[in-house]
Amino acid sequence: SALAELGARCAELNARRFRRVTLTGPGTELTLSLPPRHRWCTARLHTRSGSPFVANLPTAEVFTAPDCRSAEGTLAVARPVVHGGVVMDRITLEFRRGAVVRADARTGRDWLRRLLDTDAGARRLGEVALVPACERRPPPRAPRTWRTGGRLFHHPLLDENAAPHVAMGEAYGFTSEDPAGEPLNRSHLHLDLPMEAQAVFD
């Protein structure tokens, strides 16, 4: 099943314990460090009583939280992003020492900048997600690179599964084996930003 394939890819990534991921694509050259005890996850989660469920469907992503202090480089968002009824298109961001230092968009620029001022964590990344289900079978051993893409649905829960993405703001604590001891981001914002990008690990 698709969930089993995603789970297998998480297991591969978690076994390799990569320290860094670099995302490259049109307008994007972004490097992120991964915390020592980071954990790659899928949308298949469990309730407190242990019952399994899938947080959103369809799902095609594996994701984790980067070190919120580490982002360096540029990001060009590949698709329109809708938040609070406002369409933000052609978003570009520049990161230095983990935080956005420049933000622009062809449409919705003022709203984007307002979102980034939500709180102290809104300018930092809380998630990095790959969409490996676009490839039917990985080569033997964990692949060092994955190319991903997808269709545009104009809906965040669908668009985030059509392309690799990062999210500004809140990190999910379960993406770390030590959420209290690692540099995971905290914010009231969680804004998914899809990319056309290739992920390279080291």
Side-chain angles (χ1 to χ4, degrees):
S1 71
L3 284 173
E5 289 185 13
L6 291 173
R9 296 191 184 197
C10 279
E12 290 174 340
L13 287 168
N14 286 329
R16 297 296 294 273
R17 308 307 302 176
F18 291 114
R19 296 176 299 173
R20 183 168 57 186
V21 57
T22 299
L23 302 164
T24 60
T28 296
E29 185 71 29
L30 185 64
T31 298
L32 307 172
S33 295
L34 301 175
R37 297 176 65 82
H38 72 278
R39 176 190 294 140
W40 290 91
C41 301
T42 73
R44 185 173 185 178
L45 306 174
H46 291 81
T47 65
R48 291 184 179 180
S49 63
S51 299
F53 71 100
V54 179
N56 63 304
L57 286 171
T59 182
E61 66 175 323
V62 297
F63 59 94
T64 191
D67 183 328
C68 68
R69 308 164 299 185
S70 68
E72 293 284 344
T74 57
L75 168 64
V77 179
R79 294 169 173 79
V81 175
V82 180
H83 188 282
V86 178
V87 178
M88 297 169 287
D89 196 11
R90 304 292 180 90
I91 296 172
T92 57
L93 303 173
E94 181 179 354
F95 292 84
R96 291 290 178 266
R97 297 181 180 179
V100 172
V101 295
R102 183 184 60 82
D104 204 357
R106 179 172 295 182
T107 60
R109 180 178 59 188
D110 291 344
W111 184 245
L112 170 66
R113 292 175 176 175
R114 181 176 175 182
L115 291 175
L116 294 176
D117 288 336
T118 298
D119 52 37
R123 289 180 174 266
R124 297 180 181 272
L125 293 176
E127 180 187 3
V128 56
L130 310 176
V131 183
C134 296
E135 297 177 344
R136 295 307 303 163
R137 293 286 180 184
R141 302 176 63 85
R144 289 180 61 83
T145 64
W146 282 330
R147 290 189 181 276
T148 54
R151 299 173 60 185
L152 175 62
F153 296 96
H154 293 276
H155 190 290
L157 290 180
L158 296 176
D159 285 337
E160 74 164 5
N161 282 286
H165 54 276
V166 294
M168 304 302 308
E170 180 73 1
Y172 299 121
F174 58 80
T175 58
S176 171
E177 296 173 4
D178 181 21
E182 290 196 315
L184 303 187
N185 201 33
R186 292 291 176 258
S187 176
H188 291 293
L189 179 71
H190 187 91
L191 180 67
D192 291 304
L193 303 175
M195 304 171 289
E196 292 182 20
Q198 178 183 10
V200 180
F201 296 90
D202 58 39

